[in-house]
Amino acid sequence: DIAKAIIDLAVYGKAQNRSYERLALFVDTIGPRLSGSKNLDTAIKYMHNALKENGLENVHLEPVKIPHWERGEESAMMVEPRCHNLAILGLGNSIATPPEGITAEILVVTSFDELHARAPEAKGKIVVYNEPYISYGETVQYRSQGAVEAAKAGAVASLIRSIASFSINSPHTGWQYYRSDVPRIPTACISVEDAEMMARMSSKGMKIVVNLKMEAKTYPDASSFNTVGEIVGSKYPEQVVLVSGHLDSWDVGQGAMDDGGGAFISWEALSLIKNLGLRPKRTLRLVLWTGEEQGGVGANQYYQLHKVNISNFDIVMESDEGTFMPTGLAFTGSDKARSIMREVMQLLQPINVTAVYENGGGTDVDYWVQDGVPGASLLDDITKYFWFHHSNGDTMTVQDPNQMNLCAAVWTVVSYVIADMEEMLPR
Amino acid sequence: RPQSKNGRYRQTFEEVKREIAGYK
């Protein structure tokens, strides 16, 4: 009755709401946790102590280097045809403007294709991207590449419509990449509302002028840590089932959803197993990544350090797409492994979360998945996920304790059973 | 049955199914 015992404890028993309560204390006390920040250092120390106090084994920190970028003060004021304060958030890795800012006319485009077609018009202007939101994966390229494409056309800055499926004038930040062969220009995201307004004005032939000020600064890479705790396996301790989420977040909101929820249900999995006095045959390893938002930076260094043991990694699991109502498990692996995962998910019939989907993994564990290690990620109802993602709205208020209980039950049953089965998943 | 690297026989899928059902 192990699966039932886990579900009962997580959803109805003494552990119900524990991951939510732990997360609330964590994010309310520490706040957002940007890569390279003191807040992130504090968060890692906090979790290091918390995992030890929880009685996990081999609790330790693994040093890594991560980007250190700070946004500073920033503003964008539309000065023609009228004065209007634009809601902005500078994009991570952006350079600063001069202290007096950049004042330039706006060119509004809806796509890279339109920008390329109108490239002669972009010279000396601030390019505003008013790209429609299709899906995160498709639309996020405007955030990550917008500055480079605008600079190639001779623009002096870029303002990018937030990658958001809903907006209440809320800018959403994120990481953007420069190219060594293209001049660096300042870049920030703006709200959907302001992007659409400027598009309407532009389509009517109005001249729009904006003053953009950004103090953003990039420092040398900072020292940080991946945080690790384990329940050591009873029979095959060298073999590992890895469960994970990331501790770092953006510097807005509280990072409660991205990825506080994922990190804390991963911790909860080990806590529940300990509470039940269980010890799986192979080691259950919790890793709380650092520097995920800048492209899985801490996870990449973890992979480089540990890939020599790749044959002992049974499965790598990451929850980084919300901890709302769970709908199933995304899985990447061989057909044989998938058949086994389908059987494992049948254990979750009592809470009606049995589906196995394609494309399991995540930014932090894909290094392993690409090398053939089976990968899994929690799927949940992400209808509202991109309303809050990377914005000031990512707070504890969007989390739901009952939904986190269910997510924790799924995460725990899957990780425990795989860790305890006699054989590793076939590759 | 295929043998695994450590010389033990790998379980058949039916055996794996039975093992997983044991956690219900």
Side-chain angles (χ1 to χ4, degrees):
Chain A
D1 290 341
I2 287 175
K4 185 174 181 301
I6 292 171
I7 292 166
D8 284 347
L9 181 60
V11 181
Y12 312 110
K14 284 184 178 174
Q16 67 174 303
N17 302 349
R18 183 170 59 188
S19 60
Y20 176 91
E21 297 294 345
R22 282 172 168 174
L23 177 61
L25 180 62
F26 174 77
V27 300
D28 290 343
T29 305
I30 294 169
R33 305 167 300 281
L34 183 63
S35 175
S37 68
K38 284 192 168 60
N39 279 19
L40 179 57
D41 288 346
T42 306
I44 291 168
K45 284 176 191 156
Y46 179 106
M47 290 306 300
H48 187 222
N49 287 332
L51 299 185
K52 283 197 285 191
E53 283 177 13
N54 192 207
L56 300 188
E57 298 155 63
N58 296 335
V59 175
H60 65 281
L61 301 175
E62 299 194 8
V64 293
K65 290 284 188 185
I66 57 173
H68 182 189
W69 173 89
E70 292 180 8
R71 73 173 60 254
E73 293 295 317
E74 54 191 19
S75 66
M77 179 67 76
M78 187 173 80
V79 293
E80 285 187 45
R82 66 178 173 91
C83 283
H84 170 65
N85 192 16
L86 301 166
I88 70 162
L89 277 177
L91 292 179
N93 199 32
S94 176
I95 62 166
T97 64
E100 70 279 13
I102 292 172
T103 302
E105 192 176 336
I106 293 293
L107 171 69
V108 183
V109 297
T110 56
S111 67
F112 287 139
D113 286 343
E114 183 182 354
L115 174 65
H116 297 152
R118 299 177 64 187
E121 298 175 58
K123 192 170 174 56
K125 291 183 181 166
I126 297 173
V127 168
V128 167
Y129 291 96
N130 180 38
E131 79 287 349
Y133 181 85
I134 300 167
S135 69
Y136 185 73
E138 288 173 271
T139 314
V140 75
Q141 62 177 319
Y142 287 92
R143 190 177 72 204
S144 57
Q145 309 295 332
V148 165
E149 291 304 315
K152 281 199 278 187
V156 291
S158 59
L159 296 173
I160 294 151
R161 170 174 155 155
S162 290
I163 314 303
S165 52
F166 178 78
S167 180
I168 48 169
N169 204 37
S170 48
H172 299 233
T173 188
W175 192 252
Q176 64 95 38
Y177 295 90
Y178 288 123
R179 256 175 47 181
S180 57
D181 58 339
V182 177
R184 296 178 174 215
I185 59 172
T187 185
C189 58
I190 57 176
S191 69
V192 172
E193 287 86 342
D194 282 339
E196 290 188 342
M197 178 188 73
M198 286 191 277
R200 287 193 300 273
M201 295 164 80
S202 178
S203 70
K204 290 177 173 57
M206 294 183 193
K207 179 183 177 184
I208 307 167
V209 177
V210 166
N211 172 251
L212 174 67
K213 287 183 182 174
M214 294 173 64
E215 289 183 346
K217 194 166 180 185
T218 298
Y219 297 89
D221 281 356
S223 295
S224 189
F225 303 91
N226 294 315
T227 308
V228 183
E230 293 180 340
I231 295 175
V232 176
S234 61
K235 190 171 180 182
Y236 309 116
E238 75 285 1
Q239 296 176 4
V240 173
V241 165
L242 187 149
V243 290
S244 68
H246 66 86
L247 273 192
D248 68 297
S249 74
W250 279 101
D251 55 340
V252 290
Q254 294 182 312
M257 181 191 78
D258 181 14
D259 177 34
F264 275 61
I265 66 155
S266 294
W267 174 21
E268 184 68 14
L270 274 69
S271 290
L272 290 166
I273 289 164
K274 262 190 71 67
N275 290 153
L276 290 166
L278 300 170
R279 183 177 291 280
K281 293 187 183 73
R282 54 186 66 80
T283 295
L284 200 51
R285 180 178 297 167
L286 167 69
V287 183
L288 303 173
W289 310 107
T290 190
E292 187 275 347
E293 296 292 2
Q294 290 67 33
V297 179
N300 178 272
Q301 289 167 61
Y302 180 90
Y303 167 73
Q304 298 301 336
L305 186 66
H306 294 281
K307 66 181 178 183
V308 65
N309 297 319
I310 194 167
S311 62
N312 280 328
F313 279 71
D314 193 1
I315 187 171
V316 287
M317 299 168 59
E318 179 173 23
S319 170
D320 187 20
E321 292 177 37
T323 47
F324 299 112
M325 184 61 75
T327 54
L329 197 78
F331 179 74
T332 299
S334 65
D335 290 344
K336 283 182 180 174
R338 179 173 294 279
S339 299
I340 292 170
M341 294 305 295
R342 286 200 189 98
E343 294 299 319
V344 172
M345 290 302 287
Q346 288 304 308
L347 299 171
L348 289 152
Q349 274 181 349
I351 55 172
N352 196 27
V353 187
T354 58
V356 179
Y357 298 92
E358 303 285 334
N359 300 320
T363 300
D364 292 312
V365 296
D366 280 348
Y367 303 106
W368 301 87
V369 176
Q370 283 159 11
D371 273 356
V373 177
S377 42
L378 182 72
L379 286 188
D380 59 324
D381 175 11
I382 59 163
T383 308
K384 297 178 182 175
Y385 186 79
F386 291 106
W387 296 11
F388 311 112
H389 186 246
H390 296 187
S391 81
N392 272 304
D394 181 355
T395 66
M396 207 57 210
T397 301
V398 310
Q399 295 295 126
D400 179 283
N402 295 317
Q403 293 174 352
M404 285 186 74
N405 293 339
L406 294 167
C407 291
V410 173
W411 217 223
T412 310
V413 167
V414 171
S415 58
Y416 176 79
V417 171
I418 295 172
D420 195 55
M421 288 169 60
E422 188 53 39
E423 294 183 354
M424 288 175 68
L425 291 171
R427 301 250 166 131
Chain B
R1 284 196 240 165
Q3 229 173 351
S4 63
K5 279 182 193 167
N6 60 13
R8 289 183 294 113
Y9 285 105
R10 285 198 72 90
Q11 292 174 309
T12 64
F13 183 59
E14 284 307 313
E15 287 169 332
V16 173
K17 272 176 73 171
R18 276 199 295 278
E19 184 187 10
I20 294 169
Y23 292 98
K24 266 183 188 169

